[in-house]
C-alpha cells in the first residue's frame, strides 16, 4: 500500500531507515474550511500520508508476583521515524506542511526552535528542531520534533522526515545527523 501511495504521488520510499523498518502507514484527507463533513469524507480534496518506521517490541509484564495471576502486554516502538509526504499539485499542501508562499517552513517564533538549510543535488533541505511545551504545567518542555523537509519540484512532491523526541524518555535533544543521510537517500532514489 505504501508503494502504491508513494507511486501515486510520484516518489519512491525506502523499506527501512537505517535499522528501523516500516511498521505502519496512515492516510489523512484534507478539505478546505467550510466543507461539510459529508463532502469531506466523500470527496477529500487533498490526501497526504504518514509512513512510520521503527523497531517494535512487545513488553510483557506480570500483574503480580504470584504465579498464574496473569500479565499485561503492550507494544513499544524504538528508533521511531516518520515520513510525511504528499503532492504539490494542490495548494493545500502548503497548509498541511506549514509552508509559506515560497515553500519555506513556518516555524513558531520560539528562541529554542532551530532552523538550518542545506543544499543537496539542487534541492533545499530545510532542517528544524521544534520545541513543545506543557502549558498547564509551568511551561515545561515535553517533547521535541526534529524534521527535515524539502519540496521535490521534479516529482511534484513534498517530503518531511520527522523524529519525535519525548523528554520523559531521553534528555538527548541533539539533532540526529542520520536524518540528513535518510533525506539524501530518498532524494537519490527519486532523481530521474
Amino acid at each position: 500500500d505504501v508503494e502504491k501511495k508513494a507511486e501515486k504521488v510520484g516518489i519512491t520510499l525506502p523499506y527501512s531507515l537505517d535499522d528501523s523498518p516500516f511498521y505502519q502507514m496512515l492516510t489523512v484527507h484534507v478539505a478546505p474550511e467550510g466543507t461539510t463533513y459529508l463532502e469531506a469524507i466523500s470527496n477529500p480534496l487533498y490526501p497526504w500520508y504518514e509512513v512510520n518506521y521503527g523497531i517494535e517490541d512487545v513488553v510483557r509484564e506480570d500483574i503480580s508476583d504470584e504465579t498464574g495471576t496473569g500479565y499485561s502486554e503492550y507494544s513499544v516502538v524504538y528508533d521511531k521515524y516518520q515520513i510525511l509526504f504528499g503532492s504539490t499539485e494542490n495548494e493545500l499542501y502548503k497548509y498541511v506542511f506549514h509552508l509559506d508562499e515560497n515553500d519555506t517552513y513556518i516555524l513558531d517564533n520560539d528562541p529554542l526552535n532551530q532552523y538550518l538549510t542545506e543544499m543537496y543535488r539542487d534541492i533545499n533541505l530545510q532542517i528544524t528542531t521544534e520545541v513543545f511545551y506543557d502549558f498547564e504545567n509551568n511551561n515545561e518542555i515535553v517533547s521535541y520534533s526534529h524534521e527535515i523537509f524539502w519540496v521535490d519540484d521534479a516529482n511534484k512532491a513534498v517530503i518531511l522526515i520527522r523524529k519525535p523526541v519525548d523528554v520523559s524518555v531521553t534528555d538527548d535533544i541533539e539533532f540526529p545527523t542520520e536524518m540528513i543521510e535518510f533525506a539524501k537517500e530518498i532524494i537519490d532514489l527519486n532523481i530521474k
Side-chain angles (χ1 to χ4, degrees), residues 58-94:
V58 176
V59 177
R60 183 176 178 166
E61 295 178 341
D62 291 327
I63 293 176
S64 75
D65 292 336
E66 293 181 38
T67 305
T69 58
Y71 60 89
S72 67
E73 278 187 353
Y74 56 93
S75 181
V76 177
V77 180
Y78 302 99
D79 294 326
K80 184 177 181 178
Y81 297 93
Q82 301 165 324
I83 296 179
L84 287 66
F85 68 95
S87 170
T88 59
E89 294 190 32
N90 184 309
E91 284 297 307
L92 279 174
Y93 84 91
K94 291 180 186 286

Side-chain angles (χ1 to χ4, degrees), residues 8-100:
K8 184 177 178 181
V9 171
I11 61 170
T12 302
L13 295 177
Y15 176 75
S16 64
L17 295 176
D18 199 19
D19 293 331
S20 298
F22 162 81
Y23 76 91
Q24 180 184 43
M25 184 183 96
L26 303 170
T27 300
V28 181
H29 296 278
V30 178
E33 188 174 358
T35 304
T36 68
Y37 177 75
L38 185 56
E39 289 172 330
I41 61 170
S42 62
N43 189 20
L45 195 55
Y46 184 78
W48 61 276
Y49 310 94
E50 177 183 307
V51 179
N52 293 290
Y53 296 83
I55 300 169
E56 194 168 15
D57 190 21
V58 176
V59 177
R60 183 176 178 166
E61 295 178 341
D62 291 327
I63 293 176
S64 75
D65 292 336
E66 293 181 38
T67 305
T69 58
Y71 60 89
S72 67
E73 278 187 353
Y74 56 93
S75 181
V76 177
V77 180
Y78 302 99
D79 294 326
K80 184 177 181 178
Y81 297 93
Q82 301 165 324
I83 296 179
L84 287 66
F85 68 95
S87 170
T88 59
E89 294 190 32
N90 184 309
E91 284 297 307
L92 279 174
Y93 84 91
K94 291 180 186 286
Y95 167 77
V96 168
F97 290 94
H98 307 284
L99 304 176
D100 68 13

Side-chain angles (χ1 to χ4, degrees), residues 99-100 102-108 110-118 124-130 147 149:
L99 304 176
D100 68 13
N102 299 315
D103 286 340
T104 301
Y105 190 70
I106 301 169
L107 195 60
D108 289 341
D110 184 312
L112 295 178
N113 289 344
Q114 299 173 10
Y115 177 86
L116 303 166
T117 61
E118 180 177 321
N124 185 29
L125 297 174
Q126 299 177 57
I127 305 165
T128 68
T129 297
E130 197 164 1
E147 299 177 349
F149 164 85

